[in-house]
């Protein structure tokens, strides 16, 4: 008999424990508007803090947040525990949606029905709805996207100011804007969000810049705001009569997720104008091109630096053109890698490119640097324009530390300059021949020898001088060098000059080489 009583007592204990192992679920409201969030609350007295599997919800709801808390109860000296899951959800479509049963440990919740309408419905009006409340616009949170109307048209790769405005009643404490992945646009954040008062409400304004990567009718990037508001903590839920409940809320209250999405909008993007004859497309509101030097005068053999600065508004630094600088005669040119930087001014990207050219002139005289030109498209006037640096003439002074060389006179498109140009070469040739003949006849003495058909005589030299044919004169001098020094091989006049001991003769050969 005692054994039977013991079995009955054990059965009652296990039945009591099993009865206590229960799961319940409820929602913060059963009727909401599309785009509005609500909280699914699940309670269990099982010792499990693992978030239930929410895979069955994703077809109808977006899961915004999950949290878990434990509560310890002491009642009549008996301690018990409960676990509470709070899951933030947002419906993905309108109509009657069902939250299916969710497994929690060995138990599962009951299905819950949610009515999703077009407009926001407050929690206070959830139980008693009328037509006015259903069609009201008393929405605490809104989001809108705007494209700047500064320009009548937008072209491919032109900056488009894109503004996202989140409007609330002041309850949002934190949040951020993100965009769906897209290959049609490059998206750049312009600055930190700013707050603007609008009557009793508040606007949080986010500024972005879009750069379309193709033309045609494009869908603007869809923006989503994810943030939190805070509900004031209910002090009665912390301490109940006869029951001690351990629950520590945030000092701001309890987090409530806020999720907003912009509507789908399109924009027309124009292609590059057909009449633009350039390899580089630069759509900008303003472009400037400037040049400056580190010194006003240049000197033979000494470097001088030219700094070229290109500034363009409404473009990124990756859109700035590349420059190719051609080499100049008798000048060594070294071009450093461009330095680029981007800033924001008056809600526009301003990109700057700085190029450093170092020139080392090899001769004295006037040096002419070629013009630099950038073709760009003015998005304000819808016209093609040019920014340019005109040709710049630099005077190169004689360097006292370097052996003097002939003056360099740049060839001009006038008959007078051409005459002076030829005359200077003629004078150089005469000076050369004077030294040449002196050395030539000294080497031969007063004796004349027969020469073969390939030998050089003074009559041939004077004939070349009179025709001002310096190239042929150069070749004749090299032939003479081979005749005079048969055991040597000279590739050019500079090698020949380097071999000579006669300083005057050497100087004349160098003059001819430079001429």
């Amino acid at each position: 008999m005692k054994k039977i009583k013991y079995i009955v007592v054990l059965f009652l204990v296990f039945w009591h424990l099993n009865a206590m192992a229960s799961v319940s679920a409820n929602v913060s409201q059963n009727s909401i508007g599309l785009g509005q969030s609500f909280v699914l609350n699940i309670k269990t007295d099982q010792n499990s803090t693992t978030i239930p599997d929410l895979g069955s919800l994703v077809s109808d709801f977006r899961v915004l947040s999950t949290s878990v808390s434990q509560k310890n109860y002491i009642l009549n000296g008996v301690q018990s525990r409960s676990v509470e899951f709070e899951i933030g959800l947002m419906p993905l479509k309108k109509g009657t949606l069902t939250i299916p049963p969710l497994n929690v440990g060995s138990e599962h919740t009951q299905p819950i029905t949610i009515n999703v309408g077009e407009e926001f419905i407050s929690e206070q009006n959830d139980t008693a709805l009328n037509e006015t409340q259903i069609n009201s616009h008393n929405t605490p949170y809104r989001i809108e996207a705007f494209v700047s109307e500064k320009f009548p048209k937008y072209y491919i790769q032109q900056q488009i100011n894109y503004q996202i405005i989140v409007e609330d009643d002041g309850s949002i404490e934190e949040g951020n804007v993100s965009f769906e992945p897209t290959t049609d646009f490059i998206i750049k954040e312009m600055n930190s969000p700013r707050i603007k008062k609008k009557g009793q409400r508040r606007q949080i304004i986010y500024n972005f810049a879009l750069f379309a990567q193709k033309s045609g009718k494009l869908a603007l990037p869809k923006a989503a705001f994810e943030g939190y508001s805070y509900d004031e903590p209910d002090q009665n839920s912390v301490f109940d009569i006869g029951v001690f409940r351990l629950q520590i809320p945030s000092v701001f209250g309890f987090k409530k997720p806020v999720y907003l999405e912009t509507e789908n909008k399109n924009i027309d993007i124009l292609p590059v104008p057909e009449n633009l004859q350039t390899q580089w497309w630069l759509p900008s509101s303003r472009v400037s091109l400037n040049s400056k030097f580190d010194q006003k005068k240049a000197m033979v053999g000494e470097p001088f630096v030219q700094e070229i600065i290109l500034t363009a508004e409404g473009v990124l630094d990756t859109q700035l053109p590349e420059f190719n600088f051609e080499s100049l005669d008798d000048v060594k040119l070294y071009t450093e890698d461009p330095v680029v930087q981007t800033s924001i001014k008056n809600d526009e990207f301003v990109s700057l490119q700085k190029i450093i050219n170092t020139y080392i002139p090899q001769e004295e005289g006037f040096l002419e640097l070629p013009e630099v030109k950038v073709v760009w498209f003015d998005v304000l006037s819808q016209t093609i324009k040019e920014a340019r640096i005109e040709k710049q003439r630099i005077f190169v002074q004689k360097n006292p530390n370097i052996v003097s060389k002939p003056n360099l006179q740049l060839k001009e498109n006038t008959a007078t300059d051409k005459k002076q140009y030829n005359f200077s070469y003629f004078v150089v040739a005469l000076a050369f021949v004077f030294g040449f003949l002196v050395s030539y006849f000294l080497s031969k003495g007063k004796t004349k020898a027969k020469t073969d058909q390939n030998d050089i005589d003074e009559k041939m030299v004077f004939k070349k001088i009179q025709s001002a044919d310096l190239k042929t004169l150069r070749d004749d001098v090299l032939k003479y060098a081979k005749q005079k020094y048969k055991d040597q091989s000279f590739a050019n006049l500079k090698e020949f000059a380097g071999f000579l001991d006669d300083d005057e003769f050497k100087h004349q050969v160098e003059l001819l080489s430079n001429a």
Side-chain angles (χ1 to χ4, degrees):
M1 189 68 179
K2 288 182 179 180
K3 188 175 183 179
I4 295 175
K5 289 181 179 180
Y6 179 71
I7 293 174
V8 171
V9 170
L10 286 178
F11 172 78
L12 292 175
V13 170
F14 281 111
W15 177 84
H16 177 70
L17 291 175
N18 186 58
M20 291 182 63
S22 61
V23 173
S24 64
N26 60 75
V27 292
S28 57
Q29 55 190 122
N30 294 88
S31 298
I32 59 174
L34 186 62
Q36 184 179 352
S37 63
F38 66 97
V39 177
L40 169 64
N41 192 285
I42 301 175
K43 294 181 180 179
T44 178
D45 56 9
Q46 299 187 53
N47 189 19
S48 173
T49 58
T50 303
I51 299 292
D53 183 7
L54 307 177
S56 59
L57 297 176
V58 296
S59 60
D60 293 334
F61 300 92
R62 182 191 301 273
V63 179
L64 302 178
S65 64
T66 58
S67 65
V68 59
S69 61
Q70 298 184 37
K71 300 174 183 178
N72 296 318
Y73 295 84
I74 302 175
L75 183 60
N76 297 327
V78 178
Q79 181 178 359
S80 60
R81 172 188 297 175
S82 71
V83 179
E84 184 173 341
F85 302 95
E86 288 188 351
I87 302 167
L89 298 176
M90 175 176 287
L92 298 176
K93 54 189 174 182
K94 295 186 294 183
T96 301
L97 307 181
T98 300
I99 298 176
L102 301 175
N103 294 328
V104 182
S106 60
E107 301 290 325
H108 59 268
T109 63
Q110 296 298 316
I112 301 175
T113 300
I114 302 293
N115 297 313
V116 182
E118 185 70 33
E119 300 296 336
F120 172 85
I121 300 172
S122 66
E123 295 184 27
Q124 290 79 3
N125 296 328
D126 183 20
T127 55
L129 299 177
N130 54 47
E131 193 69 20
T132 302
Q133 292 168 339
I134 292 175
N135 297 322
S136 69
H137 292 268
N138 186 27
T139 307
Y141 311 124
R142 289 181 181 275
I143 186 171
E144 291 189 73
F146 299 93
V147 170
S148 170
E149 297 180 356
K150 180 178 180 180
F151 305 99
K153 301 176 182 178
Y154 283 101
Y155 289 80
I156 183 173
Q157 295 183 346
Q158 177 185 349
Q159 177 178 332
I160 304 170
N161 285 355
Y162 193 42
Q163 195 172 78
I164 308 298
I165 298 180
V166 175
E167 187 175 305
D168 75 333
D169 55 2
S171 60
I172 294 178
E173 297 290 341
E174 57 182 278
N176 66 282
V177 171
S178 60
F179 292 90
E180 290 184 348
T182 177
T183 57
D184 293 345
F185 294 90
I186 293 176
I187 305 172
K188 295 288 185 179
E189 187 173 6
M190 294 287 289
N191 43 45
S192 301
R194 59 187 178 91
I195 305 295
K196 179 181 178 182
K197 284 289 185 179
K198 186 180 179 182
Q200 299 297 319
R201 296 176 64 76
R202 178 183 66 170
Q203 289 183 338
I204 309 172
I205 302 173
Y206 299 83
N207 290 310
F208 297 88
L210 307 180
F211 297 87
Q213 299 304 292
K214 65 181 182 181
S215 58
K217 186 177 287 294
L218 305 181
L220 285 168
K222 194 171 184 179
F225 174 84
E226 291 186 78
Y228 293 94
S229 63
Y230 287 90
D231 288 342
E232 290 294 333
D234 183 3
Q235 298 300 328
N236 293 327
S237 67
V238 180
F239 296 101
D240 288 339
I241 298 176
V243 177
F244 175 74
R245 177 182 295 179
L246 179 61
Q247 183 182 26
I248 304 176
S250 165
V251 294
F252 298 105
F254 295 100
K255 271 188 175 182
K256 184 177 180 180
V258 176
Y259 184 87
L260 305 169
E261 285 186 348
T262 58
E263 297 178 353
N264 295 324
K265 293 183 179 180
N266 297 326
I267 186 172
D268 292 319
I269 302 296
L270 298 177
V272 177
E274 295 181 355
N275 59 338
L276 184 65
Q277 302 297 323
T278 181
Q279 295 182 345
W280 206 276
W281 168 240
L282 189 63
S284 174
S285 56
R286 182 176 177 272
V287 172
S288 65
L289 189 61
N290 298 290
S291 172
K292 63 180 182 180
F293 296 89
D294 63 344
Q295 56 193 47
K296 295 182 179 180
K297 297 180 180 180
M299 186 175 292
V300 173
E302 298 291 336
F304 71 93
V305 175
Q306 179 191 29
E307 185 177 88
I308 297 175
I309 299 177
L310 170 64
T311 304
E313 297 180 5
V315 296
L316 300 174
D317 53 16
T318 55
Q319 297 174 251
L320 297 178
E322 298 175 353
F323 291 91
N324 293 316
F325 298 94
E326 297 181 359
S327 59
L328 302 174
D329 294 337
D330 300 314
V331 177
K332 294 180 180 180
L333 170 61
Y334 303 93
T335 300
E336 299 180 11
D337 292 335
V339 176
V340 295
Q341 62 185 46
T342 302
S343 59
I344 298 174
K345 182 180 179 181
N346 298 328
D347 292 333
E348 268 196 315
F349 277 94
V350 179
S351 294
L352 180 145
Q353 180 174 247
K354 182 187 296 184
I355 302 170
I356 303 294
N357 285 336
T358 301
Y359 297 92
I360 305 178
Q362 303 299 298
E363 294 184 353
E364 60 182 285
F366 284 99
L367 171 65
E368 189 174 79
L369 303 182
E371 73 171 7
V372 182
K373 183 175 66 174
V374 173
V375 179
W376 62 286
F377 184 77
D378 190 336
V379 294
L380 290 171
S381 62
Q382 310 283 302
T383 56
I384 299 171
K385 294 185 177 181
E386 288 184 355
R388 76 171 64 227
I389 299 173
E390 300 293 342
K391 292 181 179 179
Q392 299 185 66
R393 209 177 193 204
I394 307 296
F395 180 71
V396 180
Q397 294 180 326
K398 179 180 179 180
N399 193 332
N401 299 319
I402 298 178
V403 177
S404 62
K405 296 186 178 183
N407 290 336
L408 171 65
Q409 295 291 340
L410 296 182
K411 187 175 181 181
E412 305 286 349
N413 294 325
T414 64
T416 303
D417 291 337
K418 184 175 182 181
K419 182 179 179 180
Q420 293 176 351
Y421 177 79
N422 292 334
F423 178 75
S424 65
Y425 276 140
F426 188 69
V427 172
V428 170
L430 286 177
F432 164 76
V433 171
F434 176 78
F436 169 74
L437 292 179
V438 171
S439 299
Y440 183 81
F441 287 113
L442 286 176
S443 65
K444 282 193 168 185
K446 296 182 180 180
T447 312
K448 292 185 178 179
K450 293 183 178 180
T451 60
D452 58 23
Q453 190 174 3
N454 293 326
D455 286 343
I456 305 301
D457 59 26
E458 55 270 26
K459 292 183 179 180
M460 294 176 61
V461 171
F462 279 110
K463 187 177 181 180
K464 301 307 178 186
I465 294 174
Q466 291 172 354
S467 65
D469 186 356
L470 298 185
K471 291 185 178 179
T472 305
L473 183 58
R474 173 199 61 193
D475 296 339
D476 289 345
V477 172
L478 289 175
K479 287 181 181 179
Y480 162 75
K482 292 179 181 178
Q483 292 172 197
K484 178 68 176 175
Y485 307 99
K486 296 181 179 180
D487 57 338
Q488 299 293 328
S489 177
F490 303 106
N492 50 54
L493 290 177
K494 288 186 177 181
E495 288 187 8
F496 180 40
F499 180 79
L500 296 172
D501 294 329
D502 187 334
D503 291 340
E504 183 60 26
F505 191 16
K506 178 178 180 180
H507 180 58
Q508 300 301 330
V509 174
E510 288 177 344
L511 290 178
L512 178 61
S513 175
N514 292 328

